[in-house]
Amino acid sequence: MRMHHATSPPPPTVVSEAVRRPRVIVALHEGFYGAASGTGFSNRSFLTALARILPPGRLSVITPHVPETAGAHDRRWAAEVQQMLRQAEADVITSPEVQAAPESIQGSIQLCDLAGEAAVRIAE
């Protein structure tokens, strides 16, 4: 598992179609670091299914940063998910912390924007 933090994208490179491998990109709001609601359980189950059925190295996961001090951060849960993704050779991209509350409209917009930017970088 390679952990990335949102940074400027690298310069585009030319890659032949024979070298490109299709990827599945999943953006999570909850489920990587814990489950404050049922959504986290569903997201983890979805990641587990993808990690099992996709060929190694084909999964990319985008998740917002959740500090260890946050109530929604479960160390054991996060360790289990990270181990599963390491075994699947998945890329994990952690977006910077959103300033607005993630459950607010502004926070949701910020999370969507950050996830979209990360997905574009992966697709390139």
Side-chain angles (χ1 to χ4, degrees):
M1 170 178 75
R2 291 178 282 161
M3 298 281 293
H4 302 282
H5 298 281
T7 58
S8 300
T13 57
V14 177
V15 179
S16 72
E17 288 300 317
V19 176
R20 285 187 174 208
R21 298 182 311 163
R23 300 193 64 78
V24 173
I25 302 171
V26 177
L28 301 176
H29 174 259
E30 190 180 26
F32 188 87
Y33 295 104
S37 73
T39 304
F41 289 98
S42 297
N43 288 346
R44 181 175 173 166
S45 295
F46 183 56
L47 280 183
T48 301
L50 289 174
R52 289 179 181 168
I53 64 172
L54 291 173
R58 299 287 180 97
L59 177 60
S60 293
V61 179
I62 303 167
T63 183
H65 172 73
V66 176
E68 287 189 25
T69 57
H73 193 287
D74 180 324
R75 287 183 184 175
R76 181 176 176 188
W77 178 291
E80 291 171 355
V81 170
Q82 289 171 2
Q83 175 63 25
M84 172 190 54
L85 294 175
R86 257 192 302 279
Q87 291 173 347
E89 298 176 24
D91 284 329
V92 177
I93 297 86
T94 305
S95 300
E97 198 166 356
V98 173
Q99 300 305 314
E103 58 276 357
S104 70
I105 297 217
Q106 184 61 31
S108 294
I109 291 169
Q110 287 177 335
L111 283 172
C112 288
D113 288 346
L114 291 169
E117 291 167 10
V120 167
R121 284 195 307 274
I122 293 166
E124 290 176 346

